[in-house]
Amino acid sequence: MSSSLSLSSTQLEIEFSDLEAPTGGSAILLAADKLKFGAIAGRLDRKSGGNLRRAAKAAGFEGRQESTLEVLAPSGLGLERVIVVGAGNPGTGSSAGADDGWLLLGGQIYGAVEKAELDAATAVLELPKKTLDGRNVADIALGMLLRSYAFKKYKTDSGGDATGNKASGNKGKRRKAPKTRHLVVACKSPKAAERAFKASRAIAEGVFLARDLVNEPANNLGPVEFAERAEALGKLGVEVDILDETRLEAEKMGALLAVGQGSARPPRVAVMRWQGAPSPRAKPIAFVGKGVVFDTGGISLKPAKGMEDMKGDMGGAAAVIGTMHTLARRKAKVNAVGIVGLVENMPSAKATRPGDIVTSMSGQTIEVLNTDAEGRLVLADLLHYVQTYHKPKAVIDLATLTGAIMVALGQEYAGLFANDDRLAARIEAAGRATGERVWRMPLGAAYDKQLRSQFADMRNIGSRWGGAITAAQFLKRFVDDKTPWAHIDIAGTAMASKRNAINRSWGSGFGVRLLDRLVRDAYE
Ligand code: BES
Ligand code: MN
Ligand code: ZN
């Protein structure tokens, strides 16, 4: 049984088979620390007259995590090549408490396959003194898939170098032909792995959708185009409602509209509902995403350097739509609503000015002192809307909200803010389970004070310090105290991502695996 994804950003096909030694082609074997082999790898080594161990010794390969050993045409095995992947102390995660070790191992395996430029290979998933169950194997396979993602949409064959650094003007030229890779995963219980992998595939699709959206340049992904991507979830059984400008005006979303008004491209809000719970009337969990398709800063214009990164300022919205995709694709037994605010923040004759006062949907007025603090304006109206119309049992918003969260946490953790300890603990647990890590940050009245305005109910920026926290305080003013709410600032984790074993893409798709896991562990 092979798996082909409905999304086009991977050329990897995976199938599962019984745990046997391959007799031809290329084989991937695992070794744990101190060059410990499982039964099959040990047998192959003996059959080759100790060839594998000798090669390991010569290369100084000891099975440590992140190391690999490639042996060409080892004697007596009939194999073209053997790649031994170091699994280290297998199953341990990327850092204390994290549980993403199998994913990372899968990524490492795929990385070795890619480096060797193999079209096909058999990976023998066997370790000494450890039985990998279906779930472990499915996680390894998911790691392979996640690693295999590449955004090649704009790479053509018409010149440029191998890394694609060429001038534009290649319109209409042929795109690089995708090469399909086949991986056979030989494991203890292929049936169970296959079953567990169904959900993994749904997760990979959601992550790929989010990565695709974050990677897409803003000239080709405006609010309307993004809304169309949301609408496409209709074919998975998601109910999608697109609110156009007239509707947004009728709903009095004055804060969100103020952000979009400088752009030639009209705003949209997309509302996606997945009704998978046994009772259709069960209160939904709500996901809210910042979808600024490009953030120039508006009249409070950003500096030129690095501004191109602001095509990714819709990473929160991308995570929400990706999560909705995953939930629908794996038919999650939950009611969920996803809402994304899609706007472009541009300076123009029609743009909001510093000092302008806008009225949010909630009725609260906001003095806009910096038009670059726009994400919170978008989220304010989305938060109010979703509570008004969907009465959610919990609300989680995701946003590339502040540079300040990157100053605080770097690119390793997303910032978590919450008005509810139980919800926060659940999100932290999902973070540990997936390796999409979050770090809880404080909220408090002393920070809230900074938002006092001379003229309106509040201003949209605080003072110099604690910028990620004052942004969260601002959002809190649009959340009912009795609704469990969490805000996740993903400015450091959604884009310009540090490449790792399971992600080689600029847009990481951060949030999809986290939210899917949260739903699975706490709401299904
Ligand atoms: N989209 C940015 C935040 C951001 C910065 C995301 C870098 C990813 C990378 C946000 O809209 C913004 O401009 N925030 C300002 C707020 C400030 C004006 C109070 C910031 O962080 O500088
Ligand atoms: Mn901004
Ligand atoms: Zn922004």
Side-chain angles (χ1 to χ4, degrees):
M1 281 163 282
S2 79
S3 79
S4 48
L5 286 173
S6 72
L7 293 160
S8 55
S9 309
T10 181
Q11 272 74 55
L12 174 59
E13 295 199 340
I14 295 175
E15 64 185 278
F16 300 92
S17 78
D18 289 322
L19 195 54
E20 279 163 13
T23 51
S26 294
I28 320 260
L29 305 174
L30 302 179
D33 261 343
K34 304 201 178 109
L35 201 61
K36 292 219 176 71
F37 285 137
I40 292 178
R43 216 180 310 132
L44 288 175
D45 180 48
R46 284 192 295 278
K47 201 171 162 201
S48 71
N51 200 332
L52 299 181
R53 281 189 180 282
R54 244 189 342 269
K57 193 130 200 250
F61 175 83
E62 293 174 328
R64 269 195 288 270
Q65 203 183 353
E66 285 174 39
S67 67
T68 55
L69 170 76
E70 196 173 337
V71 187
L72 294 176
S75 54
L77 301 181
L79 296 170
E80 282 166 28
R81 91 179 70 203
V82 169
I83 299 176
V84 188
V85 170
N89 186 4
T92 51
S94 56
S95 75
D99 196 17
D100 54 357
W102 300 120
L103 285 173
L104 298 176
L105 180 58
Q108 199 188 334
I109 293 172
Y110 186 80
V113 170
E114 196 175 51
K115 184 150 173 260
E117 298 184 0
L118 303 180
D119 291 344
T122 301
V124 180
L125 296 192
E126 180 214 37
L127 284 162
K129 292 188 210 123
K130 204 153 214 161
T131 317
L132 303 184
D133 64 18
R135 191 64 253 164
N136 301 147
V137 172
D139 269 351
I140 292 173
L142 174 58
M144 295 172 176
L145 265 184
L146 293 173
R147 170 69 173 250
S148 74
Y149 172 95
F151 186 73
K152 295 234 176 92
K153 197 176 165 187
Y154 296 102
K155 299 276 196 194
T156 77
D157 272 345
S158 60
D161 59 26
T163 54
N165 300 324
K166 71 179 295 292
S168 58
N170 49 19
K171 232 182 170 178
K173 296 281 168 54
R174 199 159 48 89
R175 300 261 146 87
K176 275 192 178 137
K179 184 172 74 177
T180 304
R181 276 207 169 100
H182 296 272
L183 274 185
V184 175
V185 172
C187 57
K188 186 80 190 299
S189 34
K191 287 262 148 47
E194 178 85 41
R195 236 175 294 127
F197 188 61
K198 274 218 172 91
S200 311
R201 210 156 59 199
I203 291 168
E205 286 186 9
V207 174
F208 289 3
L209 172 55
R211 287 180 183 174
D212 280 349
L213 289 166
V214 173
N215 286 328
E216 190 71 38
N219 59 328
N220 291 336
L221 188 73
V224 169
E225 292 79 13
F226 197 121
E228 281 165 2
R229 302 293 290 265
E231 236 170 346
L233 294 191
K235 64 177 186 293
L236 301 180
V238 177
E239 300 162 33
V240 186
D241 192 11
I242 306 295
L243 283 57
D244 65 8
E245 214 169 354
T246 318
R247 231 345 243 300
L248 298 173
E249 275 158 13
E251 297 289 358
K252 300 198 159 65
M253 290 204 196
L256 181 146
L257 285 165
V259 177
Q261 77 188 35
S263 172
R265 298 189 285 182
R268 291 287 185 270
V269 166
V271 185
M272 298 156 273
R273 278 175 80 213
W274 170 250
Q275 293 281 95
S279 162
R281 272 199 290 279
K283 282 186 176 177
I285 176 158
F287 303 121
V288 177
K290 170 181 174 182
V292 176
V293 298
F294 196 82
D295 181 14
T296 63
I299 296 295
S300 314
L301 193 64
K302 284 183 182 297
K305 193 171 162 350
M307 202 204 275
E308 65 276 9
D309 282 358
M310 287 302 114
K311 73 171 183 178
D313 207 17
M314 25 55 68
V320 169
I321 180 174
T323 301
M324 297 306 288
H325 178 105
T326 294
L327 294 180
R329 200 72 158 99
R330 68 174 185 78
K331 298 202 162 35
K333 292 185 173 48
V334 69
N335 290 344
V337 54
I339 181 168
V340 295
L342 307 165
V343 293
E344 181 175 41
N345 188 21
M346 293 289 267
S348 82
K350 291 183 175 175
T352 297
R353 290 154 290 255
D356 283 2
I357 295 176
V358 301
T359 304
S360 67
M361 185 185 177
S362 73
Q364 300 178 88
T365 57
I366 304 160
E367 185 185 11
V368 180
L369 287 180
N370 189 322
T371 63
D372 197 13
E374 85 298 340
R376 62 199 74 181
L377 300 175
V378 173
L379 292 170
D381 280 344
L382 297 178
L383 288 167
H384 186 79
Y385 181 97
V386 83
Q387 290 170 96
T388 305
Y389 290 111
H390 296 276
K391 303 271 176 277
K393 62 178 162 204
V395 180
I396 299 165
D397 76 71
L398 289 93
T400 49
L401 203 63
T402 65
I405 200 65
M406 304 170 73
V407 175
L409 300 176
Q411 295 192 284
E412 311 300 331
Y413 286 79
L416 170 66
F417 302 83
N419 67 356
D420 183 281
D421 290 344
R422 193 169 66 144
L423 177 60
R426 286 171 165 178
I427 295 171
E428 286 173 324
R432 283 191 297 273
T434 56
E436 292 199 323
R437 288 170 295 176
V438 296
W439 193 263
R440 187 146 181 208
M441 303 281 290
L443 289 164
Y447 297 102
D448 188 68
K449 262 194 207 158
Q450 294 186 24
L451 297 173
R452 284 181 190 159
S453 158
Q454 197 183 159
F455 299 107
D457 296 338
M458 70 194 85
R459 46 193 267 169
N460 76 328
I461 52 170
S463 63
R464 176 136 178 231
W465 309 113
I469 308 173
T470 46
Q473 278 312 147
F474 183 95
L475 300 180
K476 189 172 180 295
R477 288 173 173 237
F478 298 87
V479 177
D480 182 288
D481 281 340
K482 287 183 280 300
T483 305
W485 158 75
H487 156 60
I488 308 178
D489 193 335
I490 59 173
T493 53
M495 57 165 118
S497 326
K498 283 175 70 182
R499 311 303 196 259
N500 61 31
I502 56 170
N503 179 45
R504 299 275 136 186
S505 159
W506 184 82
S508 64
F510 186 99
V512 175
R513 293 190 298 111
L514 178 74
L515 295 181
D516 174 73
R517 186 61 181 241
L518 173 73
V519 168
R520 198 166 358 139
D521 289 351
Y523 294 97
E524 275 187 272

